[in-house]
């Protein structure tokens, strides 16, 4: 077990992403992880948690709240600084691409933070992949519904079987170099225009 | 066509960048501007640092801080062009407004000193009764808002670090924070004061134009290295921005500009709020609903507004020293002054007919009326630039200027360090 004592604060409104990260950190031996999802009075939450490391997603407007802590202030015990290692620019670039930003207390050794950063980046990237897959699945489901509707229109209007209707759609898609979902959508729109139901 | 990625924050003073991108001014200069909306200044700065953005709307003091390497800097940034002046206001909760009014000291609608005195009375009363100090929201430690609010508070003897508490709150959350009672007031830019008014939870007490009649607000921020490596692109960009600023400043284009800013991918907000902010229609205490806007509530171009005065950068430096964000030194003066780049501005507009002032710095707060000043065309008229308390900032006399302030954060760093043990 390494560095179980390091206090890590994760600020993320996205519950799933926060859970994925928390799980990874705990598996990595970091037992002291706190998640903040409520953004009101964030400064108070941070003061109470008194973290060594703060992880926040890049699209969170509250990043500017953390900027206040670079100043020594009466509300936060120790100043925090964004991680700049020897390969600082590269690390920041990887972080920005993953959509995450990390802050550490001043004076904390780089070696102690590196495994946390690596874990954070890999979990954020995993979450991004998951998001893309979910999006693809959602689109596939939607396409199937649209194709079904287009098929039934063709079956009704042209007296085709389901199989024939599907082949017709697929051929049109291939000829026009479009997806079958796009062709089906265009067909439904055209049909509804002809029926005057739009 | 060169394509530039341009970062912006959804605020009314992104107008010049947005107009340059969407009104053809960039295209005329041979540029395509990809507008990238960001949620925080920290993210804008980080993306600039690693080159994900080529340039961005930036809080005017941020390039100064980056040159001084204070805060969280990674790349030195320069500001060759001012995107907007003024546009902020101080709003307070209805409860605090009532308490201020009950002191009987609010004075005339635009009397800033009277508002500060009324607030001082409220702050003292709370301290006597053992009540918690008031809390005010600002948008960033290196923001004009922070320095404007501190200047206002300190003018009446309210110490911004000891007598009240200042917290950073992103603009989209200030109104909610006020409604929920986490803060008692805030200093933010447009249109957020109007949002507070529209939701009935806040009242404007001071418009920033009345604090300092010509305050630099947002600048074009670029990495210093990028500016050195891309002089032609930068010059073309600045010429596009100047044309856009002239267009945006013309009241005849205000409806078009309002619609452009209200678009879902820019501010995504009600056009009425944006229009009121652009026109400066703010109900000030005792003045009732305004039919006409306050003059110069927010400006983009007139009176040479886009010129990056070295004295503006140095004024921010004076306030950073005053509030213990850095210390005064000859090196600091050179670095801070060098954050704003009139030399690049002059290069970009040489021989274009754009009026260039003869000087790079001026004494701030000395013009009580509009005044013609030395310039290339002899046509430059500067606006009134006074501070409400009559102070004059001579960039040649920084230490005298700073020493004259009674309330400062001198010694606060040590105090905080001790209290943190």
């Amino acid at each position: 077990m390494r560095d179980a004592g390091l206090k890590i604060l994760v600020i993320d409104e996205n519950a799933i992403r926060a859970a994925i990260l928390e799980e990874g950190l705990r598996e990595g031996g970091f037992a002291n992880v706190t998640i903040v999802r409520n953004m009101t009075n964030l400064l108070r939450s941070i003061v109470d948690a008194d973290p060594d490391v703060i992880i926040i997603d890049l699209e969170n407007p509250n990043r500017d709240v953390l900027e206040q802590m670079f100043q020594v202030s009466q509300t936060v015990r120790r100043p925090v600084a964004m991680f700049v290692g020897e390969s600082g620019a590269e690390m920041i670039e990887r972080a920005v691409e993953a959509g995450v930003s990390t802050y550490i207390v001043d004076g904390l050794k780089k070696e102690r933070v590196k495994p946390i950063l690596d874990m954070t980046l890999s979990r954020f990237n995993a979450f991004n992949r998951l998001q893309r897959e979910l999006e693809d699945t959602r689109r596939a489901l939607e396409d199937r519904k649209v194709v079904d509707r287009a098929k039934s229109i063709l079956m009704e209007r042209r007296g085709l079987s389901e199989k024939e209707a599907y082949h017709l759609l697929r051929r049109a898609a291939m000829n026009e170099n479009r997806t079958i979902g796009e062709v089906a959508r265009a067909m439904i729109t055209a049909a509804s225009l002809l029926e005057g139901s739009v | 066509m060169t394509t530039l990625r341009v970062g912006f924050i959804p605020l009314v003073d992104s107008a010049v960048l947005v107009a340059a991108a969407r009104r053809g001014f960039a295209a005329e200069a041979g540029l395509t501007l990809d507008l990238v909306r960001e949620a925080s200044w920290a993210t804008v700065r980080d993306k600039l640092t690693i080159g994900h953005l080529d340039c961005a709307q930036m809080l005017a003091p941020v390039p100064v801080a980056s040159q001084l390497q204070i805060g969280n800097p990674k790349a030195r940034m320069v500001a060759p062009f001012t995107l907007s002046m003024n546009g902020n206001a101080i709003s307070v909760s209805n409860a605090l407004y009532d308490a201020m009014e009950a002191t009987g000291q609010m004075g005339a609608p635009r009397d800033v000193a009277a508002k500060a005195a009324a607030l001082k009375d409220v702050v003292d009363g709370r301290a006597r009764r053992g009540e918690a100090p008031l809390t005010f929201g600002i948008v960033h430690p290196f923001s004009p808002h922070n320095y404007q609010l501190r200047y206002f508070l300190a003018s009446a003897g309210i110490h911004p670090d000891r007598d009240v508490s200042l917290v950073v709150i992103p603009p989209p959350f200030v109104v909610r924070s006020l409604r929920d009672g986490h803060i008692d007031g805030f200093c933010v830019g447009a249109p957020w004061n109007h949002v507070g008014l529209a939701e009935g939870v806040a009242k404007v007490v001071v418009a920033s134009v009345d604090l300092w009649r010509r305050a630099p607000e947002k600048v074009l921020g670029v990495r210093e290295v990028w500016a050195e490596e891309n002089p032609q692109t930068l010059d073309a960009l600045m010429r596009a921005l100047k044309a856009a600023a002239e267009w945006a400043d013309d009241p005849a284009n205000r409806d078009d500009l309002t619609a452009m800013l209200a678009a879902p991918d820019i501010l995504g907000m009600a056009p009425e709020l944006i229009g009121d902010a652009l026109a400066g229609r703010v109900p000030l205490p005792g003045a009732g609903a305004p039919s006409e806007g306050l003059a110069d509530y927010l400006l983009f171009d007139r009176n040479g507004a886009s010129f990056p005065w070295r004295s503006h950068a140095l004024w921010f430096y004076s306030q950073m020293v005053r509030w213990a964000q850095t210390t005064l030194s000859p090196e600091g003066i050179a670095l801070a002054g060098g954050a704003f780049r009139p030399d690049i501005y002059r290069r970009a507009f040489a021989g274009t007919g754009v009026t260039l002032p003869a000087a790079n710095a001026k004494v701030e707060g000395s013009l009580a009326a509009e005044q013609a000043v030395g310039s290339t065309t002899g046509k430059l008229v500067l606006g009134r630039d006074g501070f409400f308390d009559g102070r004059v900032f001579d960039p040649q006399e920084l230490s005298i200027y700073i020493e004259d302030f009674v309330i400062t954060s001198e010694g606060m760093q040590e105090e905080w360090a001790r209290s943190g043990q």
Side-chain angles (χ1 to χ4, degrees), chain B residues 226-248:
Chain B
W226 188 88
E228 282 161 13
E229 288 170 356
N230 301 278
Q232 285 168 346
T233 306
L234 181 54
D235 289 358
L237 172 64
M238 288 168 61
R239 289 195 285 268
L241 294 179
K242 181 71 171 70
E246 283 170 17
W247 181 85

Side-chain angles (χ1 to χ4, degrees), chain A residues 146-185:
Chain A
V146 174
V147 171
D148 281 348
R149 248 192 88 200
K151 273 194 301 190
S152 61
I153 293 171
L154 284 174
M155 286 154 69
E156 194 184 304
R157 297 274 182 89
R158 296 189 45 186
L160 301 176
S161 72
E162 187 178 348
K163 201 171 173 184
E164 287 164 337
Y166 181 75
H167 283 301
L168 195 58
L169 282 171
R170 201 176 60 181
R171 205 166 55 232
M174 279 165 69
N175 288 344
E176 294 177 31
N177 200 16
R178 292 197 289 172
T179 69
I180 193 163
E182 284 167 353
V183 170
R185 260 185 207 92

Side-chain angles (χ1 to χ4, degrees), chain B residues 211-215 312 362-370 382-388 391:
Chain B
L211 272 169
W212 180 12
R213 300 207 68 84
R214 283 292 187 278
H312 284 163
K362 60 190 172 81
V363 174
E364 302 290 336
S366 63
L367 298 183
E370 286 207 337
L382 296 179
R384 292 163 61 195
D385 65 358
F387 292 87
F388 78 93
R391 275 178 202 274

